[in-house]
Amino acid sequence: MAELLRGGQFLVKETNCENVFTPEDFTEEQQMMKEAVTEFNDREIIPHKNRFEAKDYALTEEVMRKAGELGFLGVAVPEQYGGLGMGFVSTLLTCDYISSGTGSFSTAFGAHTGIGTMPITLYGTEEQKQKYVPKLATGEWFGAYCLTEPGAGSDANSGKTTAELSADGKSYKINGQKMWISNAGFCRLMIVFARIENDKNITGFIVEYDKNNPNGITLGEEEHKLGIRASSTRQVFFNDTIVPAENMLAGRGEGFKIAMNALNVGRIKLAGACLDSQRRIVSHAVNYANERKQFKTPIADFGAIKVKLAEMATNTYVGESATYRASKDIEDRISLRVEAGNSHQEAELKGVEEYAIECSILKVAVSEDVQNCADEGIQIFGGMGFSEETPMEAAWRDARIARIYEGTNEINRMLCVGMLVKKAMKGHVDLLGPATAVADELMGIPSFDTPDYSELFAEEKEIIAKLKKTFLMVAGSAIQKFGTELEQHQQLLIAAADILIEIYMAESAILRTEKNAKRFGEDSQSIQIAMSKLYLYHAVDKIEEKGKESIISFAEGDEQRMLLMGLKRFTKYANYPDIVDLRNEIAEKVKAENKYCF
């Protein structure tokens, strides 16, 4: 097996296309899982769309129970705790295909299987796992995750909820208020974060909730939200809630770590949850564009609509490529750790943590793509898109939350660069070597040879390599200038993150397409090749813009001139693609198939 890159190393090492996992690599078992989940979505969720939009919370709970009966809530749970014990790719795939019927169910599903169950499987003692996980895996009980407070949102560790040890040391008394708690209305178990005395970090607790014996827990009214209307979201109040001491999760003060790692898993799963929504939005949009006639012509034949269909399909394909690439890296890292003698718990924890940078990248990129996709979907439907009778307005409203929960996209942008710098300092990713090499290259004379670009993606892959140099040049210079103070310069961090995100997304699409072209023939991938080229073109544009913005903001004089020259050199095509042509090719294919078909 090829060497498995560590998280963040995609930036400084070349990845061979043979070593990336793609949706075309699904095993027979995964294919069957995908079909089962899609069938469930088509039967139990999509026909009841109106009831979800009308805030039918009982329906959400009922469909969650059915999902539990079919094993969908326990895909990631080890078999000894009542789950299916499937790998990370299957977990992601389930999340992908079950989430597109409505954001209401998707949120309930994601909150329960991710942040509601995972903290116990990853951090619980054997007794805690035996007691609670089988109930959660089967849907007998539902889980909720109580982290956010009125005063503690992005600064999650600043919560005011307290946990006080009893005199006999046998229990804790929890007091405080949590808000935006998904599944609060029908959960039986809460993962609650509270502070003990004046601890620097919060601590996690497993808290049972029984409506008939509320133990000092009261719920606020259901929140009325822009989207995800039938997902139960309430405030939760704790008033002298007694929790047995053995229900502490991990150790005292470990809560912040649990919260952060649970969110890493949540982030990549959220990216997965946006994928099938995009596929379905594209399909709805092209169905409508093929049927709707104006000026005696189906609007799908108009160039203005083709732009939209092509870009929507392209972003969907790219998001899918990047998300499945990372999910298999996580799965492989978990397997390596299990082989090395780690427990399943330790392996899973470290496996996901290793790719925290990629999880943040995907969360940002895919949540923004699904919003744009739904927005363009409304536009293709025109006035009808604004009506509740068509599927677009609900898709648009449901997509909006994805940029906020599991850490806002702003926080995630800063995190992915911050984590990369920390990894470099720990020696896990060598940024210094490559950054120095780029600085030396800038001082040298560029090569004027005409390279041979006859092979598929030869130029594109060279461009990707140059875009990586752009990141190293811009971020390297910024780190040199500000050192550890870089965190204070949020605008620069966000610009650097945008460069990092575009590199990972563009490279993932190119590697997937190249792998498939090699095994299925280039002809079979002509549209995927067009999508990969179209995405890269936009990525280069964005990287040039963000690079320039950064350079002119932190450098001046000769340094600024040299960096801008480097930027120009690293974002230059030898042969520009014909963008109009690429879009037409993609749109024609989607039009002919009358659905998202890749």
Side-chain angles (χ1 to χ4, degrees):
M1 190 179 142
E3 175 208 10
L4 180 60
L5 292 192
R6 298 195 66 150
Q9 278 187 337
F10 72 88
L11 189 67
V12 291
K13 295 204 168 182
E14 199 181 333
T15 302
N16 284 329
C17 69
E18 286 77 15
N19 299 338
V20 296
F21 180 83
T22 75
E24 291 75 25
D25 293 306
F26 286 157
T27 62
E28 206 172 317
E29 184 189 53
Q30 287 164 343
Q31 232 17 78
M32 282 163 64
M33 194 67 184
K34 173 182 151 180
E35 281 158 27
V37 173
T38 304
E39 200 257 328
F40 177 80
N41 192 1
D42 285 335
R43 184 183 71 238
E44 299 292 348
I45 302 173
I46 289 172
H48 306 301
K49 185 98 183 184
N50 294 345
R51 289 174 62 190
F52 286 110
E53 290 310 307
K55 305 182 183 175
D56 190 338
Y57 303 107
L59 177 63
T60 302
E61 185 181 352
E62 182 193 319
V63 178
M64 281 287 287
R65 289 212 186 281
K66 289 179 176 171
E69 284 158 19
L70 290 169
F72 297 148
L73 301 181
V75 174
V77 173
E79 289 177 51
Q80 69 258 44
Y81 308 117
L84 298 178
M86 293 170 104
F88 199 82
V89 173
S90 299
T91 301
L92 197 107
L93 181 153
T94 305
C95 195
D96 175 352
Y97 286 93
I98 212 165
S99 295
S100 59
T102 165
S104 299
F105 178 81
S106 170
T107 301
F109 179 86
H112 172 79
T113 56
I115 50 185
T117 306
M118 288 294 267
I120 307 178
T121 55
L122 295 184
Y123 288 97
T125 61
E126 193 49 44
E127 292 71 35
Q128 288 169 345
K129 289 192 285 191
Q130 295 286 0
K131 183 174 181 184
Y132 295 115
V133 177
K135 289 186 166 76
L136 294 167
T138 55
E140 183 188 336
W141 281 21
F142 293 119
Y145 177 86
C146 304
L147 176 64
T148 307
E149 297 184 13
S154 294
D155 182 6
N157 203 24
S158 65
K160 303 266 189 294
T161 298
T162 59
E164 190 187 336
L165 189 61
S166 60
D168 60 10
K170 286 185 177 167
S171 63
Y172 283 89
K173 193 159 67 184
I174 294 184
N175 282 287
Q177 171 187 7
K178 299 287 181 181
M179 71 188 301
W180 308 127
I181 306 308
S182 295
N183 296 355
F186 58 81
C187 71
R188 274 296 310 271
L189 179 146
M190 299 173 178
I191 309 283
V192 181
F193 295 91
R195 193 175 309 279
I196 301 172
E197 293 168 351
N198 292 321
D199 288 2
K200 177 173 173 262
N201 289 329
I202 50 183
T203 300
F205 294 90
I206 302 171
V207 180
E208 293 183 29
Y209 171 58
D210 181 353
K211 286 181 180 135
N212 305 319
N213 176 20
N215 183 17
I217 300 175
T218 48
L219 304 180
E221 288 297 305
E222 287 287 355
E223 300 284 352
H224 297 289
K225 309 180 294 291
L226 172 69
I228 57 169
R229 287 181 170 174
S231 73
S232 172
T233 313
R234 297 184 173 200
Q235 292 200 44
V236 181
F237 302 91
F238 300 94
N239 187 2
D240 290 351
T241 298
I242 306 295
V243 182
E246 64 267 20
N247 276 26
M248 182 189 285
L249 202 48
R252 176 171 172 172
E254 299 273 293
F256 187 58
K257 196 170 80 183
I258 297 174
M260 292 304 101
N261 280 326
L263 289 174
N264 286 332
V265 183
R267 282 167 187 151
I268 185 166
K269 286 177 77 176
L270 178 57
C274 294
L275 294 175
D276 198 49
S277 296
Q278 286 185 73
R279 294 185 203 106
R280 287 184 189 255
I281 291 167
V282 174
S283 296
H284 280 307
V286 71
N287 292 168
Y288 186 80
N290 275 329
E291 278 168 26
R292 172 78 170 162
K293 287 197 167 84
Q294 288 294 288
F295 311 104
K296 300 191 173 120
T297 310
I299 63 169
D301 290 346
F302 294 124
I305 301 295
K306 285 183 185 178
V307 172
K308 298 183 189 311
L309 293 174
E311 299 288 354
M312 290 157 78
T314 295
N315 288 338
T316 305
Y317 176 78
V318 173
E320 187 182 70
S321 308
T323 306
Y324 282 100
R325 171 191 184 181
S327 67
K328 184 67 160 88
D329 285 343
I330 291 172
E331 184 171 298
D332 289 345
R333 175 67 59 185
I334 292 168
S335 303
L336 283 177
R337 284 190 161 272
V338 169
E339 282 161 26
N342 283 147
S343 67
H344 170 270
Q345 202 166 358
E346 182 70 5
E348 184 107 356
L349 203 61
K350 292 288 183 220
V352 175
E353 199 178 345
E354 178 65 59
Y355 295 98
I357 294 168
E358 286 79 354
C359 292
S360 280
I361 285 175
L362 290 164
K363 192 272 177 183
V364 172
V366 185
S367 67
E368 292 180 2
D369 284 341
V370 73
Q371 181 85 64
N372 293 336
C373 191
D375 199 69
E376 291 287 41
I378 290 180
Q379 199 68 12
I380 290 171
F381 272 72
M384 286 307 292
F386 209 67
S387 162
E388 286 187 1
E389 281 175 38
T390 61
M392 289 302 170
E393 63 87 38
W396 185 86
R397 284 186 289 100
D398 283 351
R400 188 59 188 86
I401 188 62
R403 285 154 56 196
I404 298 169
Y405 58 20
E406 309 287 353
T408 66
N409 284 9
E410 291 68 28
I411 288 282
N412 272 291
R413 277 185 162 88
M414 291 185 284
L415 266 178
C416 63
V417 179
M419 290 188 288
L420 187 63
V421 173
K422 282 198 181 82
K423 278 196 149 200
M425 286 174 175
K426 281 186 186 163
H428 292 180
V429 177
D430 175 19
L431 287 187
L432 192 62
T436 311
V438 172
D440 293 345
E441 187 181 333
L442 287 179
M443 304 303 279
I445 294 164
S447 150
F448 293 107
D449 297 344
T450 314
D452 171 20
Y453 290 138
S454 54
E455 212 171 288
L456 175 67
F457 288 144
E459 180 167 8
E460 286 73 17
K461 281 157 76 176
E462 189 181 282
I463 288 171
I464 293 279
K466 290 196 298 192
L467 296 179
K468 291 177 182 182
K469 289 178 182 176
T470 307
F471 179 86
L472 292 165
M473 174 183 80
V474 174
S477 308
I479 291 166
Q480 227 168 359
K481 177 153 190 174
F482 300 114
T484 49
E485 306 277 278
L486 186 61
E487 314 201 322
Q488 312 304 315
H489 299 269
Q490 290 193 348
Q491 294 190 40
L492 291 177
L493 277 179
I494 286 173
D498 281 330
I499 297 175
L500 192 63
I501 289 166
E502 292 304 326
I503 290 169
Y504 189 72
M505 302 306 284
E507 180 181 66
S508 299
I510 285 168
L511 291 171
R512 172 187 181 180
T513 307
E514 184 188 16
K515 182 179 186 177
N516 290 332
K518 281 186 175 174
R519 56 182 169 177
F520 307 132
E522 265 184 52
D523 292 349
S524 73
Q525 300 296 305
S526 61
I527 309 301
Q528 288 88 333
I529 291 169
M531 291 192 287
S532 304
K533 288 182 173 181
L534 178 62
Y535 190 90
L536 179 64
Y537 173 79
H538 292 314
V540 170
D541 246 9
K542 190 165 189 180
I543 287 170
E544 190 172 13
E545 178 199 340
K546 297 295 175 183
K548 183 178 173 185
E549 181 188 305
S550 303
I551 291 164
I552 60 180
S553 302
F554 72 72
E556 44 196 27
D558 284 347
E559 186 195 10
Q560 187 189 85
R561 272 193 294 279
M562 191 182 77
L563 291 172
L564 287 172
M565 215 167 65
L567 180 66
K568 206 167 187 171
R569 191 195 297 181
F570 293 148
T571 52
K572 203 167 88 196
Y573 273 87
N575 310 285
Y576 280 103
D578 179 339
I579 296 303
V580 171
D581 210 34
L582 291 178
R583 284 189 187 129
N584 284 339
E585 213 181 314
I586 300 160
E588 285 301 335
K589 175 70 172 171
V590 175
K591 228 177 75 184
E593 298 283 340
N594 202 24
K595 62 175 197 224
Y596 178 81
C597 52
F598 307 105

